[in-house]
Amino acid sequence: MAKKASFNAFEMARTQFDKIADMIGLDSATRDLLRTPMREYHFNIPVRMDDGSVTVFRGFRCQHNDARGPAKGGIRFHPQETIDTVRALSMWMTWKCAAVDIPLGGGKGGVICDPHNLSAREQEGICRGWVRQLSQNIGPVSDIPAPDVMTSAQHMLWMLDEFETIHAGHYPGLITGKPVGMGGSLGRKQATGYGVVYTLREALKELDIQPENTTASFQGFGNVSQYAIELYHQLGGKVICVSSWDQDDQTSYAFLKKDGVDLEQLRSITDRFGGIDKGKAADLGYEVLPGKAWLEQDVEILIPSALENQISGDNVGGISDRVKIIAEGANGPSTPEADEVIHKRGIFVIPDFLANAGGVTCSYFEQVQSNMNYFWEKDEVLGKLDTKMTSAFAAVNVLARNKKLYMRDAAYVIAVGRVAQACKDRGWV
Ligand code: GLU
């Protein structure tokens, strides 16, 4: 039997794009322009380690498209990072910013490294080295990074400090997701997870389901999941399962509690990367199962909030008949093969670049506040975020309903349409 080709996120992003390009009859020049990042940088980052030796890390930045505004998107630290993953994620950022209609383009960065095994000083070295390599290619009016998988507000501040040292001035608009009090916005921490639940709340209304009559299962217990669970609980929903990565065993586990997980209790036994201590969880009465069990729960709602390529042709069959909604907190969690099955089964999907757009929307608010040098209260930030997410959801939902489109396709039609129009208006194509 032929060996199954390994997953490639960039191929996936292109497959999704090609489908929509065909659907809307996009001309060949615009297709050519949007199938490949506008610019990309690959570089080495030599870092002096704590033991005195030097390790050379590989870094990337892709600027997929900046027709609607400066490239925007996070930086991931991950041992399995690849240029193709960063390319895909930069493309998804372009669609994300367009879907919520903020004046930004799409970018993404990455470093192949595992912060679990790096001291704070070594991570600072990577952050500063990443900025040194890109100091002429990123900036408040060209490309604005932010946190992503395994990077935090502290990483952003080290990066900003390096940029400001090189350019001899204050440039808070360089980067978002900064610490509150150092140019960061209140609500930024909550923004992605809350944004997922704002769209989920709207989807439940569309399907005429009361949140308090639902249960949910989450993949991942990082920043996105934790705040999504917080708000979903406030709506009256019950989370019965979360999964998380176990660094010691190099595998993931699912933590099941049929009468509902206790968010604060779980947080108290979780490391800074979202890794839940399985021994402590078992002591607290959680059933510890193999990681994939999160997908197979009898719940109304599934929320994949970890990495790409998690719901695939191989495991999509395990989704329970009870599932009504999949809200994609992660970027690219469902492969096109799985997506076809999900579509056929009539599950309501809130696609990644719509569901998880809360983070970048709040990043945009961070820049607005930074430019005014006046910072809003948390409620004001979250209120504006809710408005933006709700109206983006409504636009996609109305198109899906009117044209009988799958939600992912409707989101793509809107986003690609806006970006293609901006490229055309600028005279690029
Ligand atoms: N990394 C987040 C994302 O994937 C946020 C990006 C940003 O704030 O620029 O959407």
Side-chain angles (χ1 to χ4, degrees), residues 40-230:
E40 56 185 49
Y41 306 93
H42 306 213
F43 45 89
N44 289 340
I45 310 171
V47 175
R48 176 80 54 196
M49 306 301 278
D50 291 348
D51 66 2
S53 68
V54 171
T55 300
V56 180
F57 296 92
R58 313 277 166 216
F60 310 111
R61 184 73 181 171
C62 291
Q63 297 163 355
H64 172 258
N65 187 276
D66 54 8
R68 288 174 45 88
K72 184 84 191 83
I75 308 164
R76 309 204 311 180
F77 282 1
H78 199 275
Q80 263 90 51
E81 193 62 285
T82 67
I83 183 63
D84 273 347
T85 311
V86 179
R87 285 174 175 144
L89 289 161
S90 72
M91 198 191 255
W92 290 328
M93 283 309 302
T94 302
W95 315 139
K96 192 180 301 189
C97 294
V100 284
D101 204 8
I102 53 178
L104 293 164
K108 202 72 159 204
V111 178
I112 307 174
C113 69
D114 190 348
H116 287 96
N117 310 323
L118 296 165
S119 70
R121 199 198 61 83
E122 291 164 342
Q123 292 181 52
E124 178 178 348
I126 295 177
C127 290
R128 291 185 184 277
W130 193 90
V131 168
R132 277 199 300 278
Q133 294 304 323
L134 286 169
S135 65
Q136 304 305 318
N137 311 107
I138 56 173
V141 295
S142 57
D143 180 3
I144 303 146
D148 202 285
V149 171
M150 287 203 269
T151 54
S152 66
Q154 175 64 72
H155 296 101
M156 300 305 109
L157 191 56
W158 285 324
M159 290 183 169
L160 176 66
D161 186 67
E162 189 67 22
F163 187 87
E164 293 185 335
T165 304
I166 294 168
H167 294 278
H170 281 280
Y171 299 94
L174 166 77
I175 209 157
T176 60
K178 298 180 290 294
V180 172
M182 293 298 291
S185 173
L186 291 167
R188 178 63 184 83
K189 242 183 4 203
Q190 289 84 355
T192 312
Y194 275 30
V196 171
V197 176
Y198 294 142
T199 60
L200 172 64
R201 180 194 64 207
E202 297 307 302
L204 286 166
K205 276 188 210 156
E206 170 69 20
L207 301 179
D208 205 15
I209 302 172
Q210 299 304 315
E212 52 274 29
N213 296 335
T214 65
T215 52
S217 177
F218 279 71
Q219 186 189 33
F221 195 61
N223 185 260
V224 180
S225 280
Q226 291 187 27
Y227 288 104
I229 293 173
E230 186 174 285

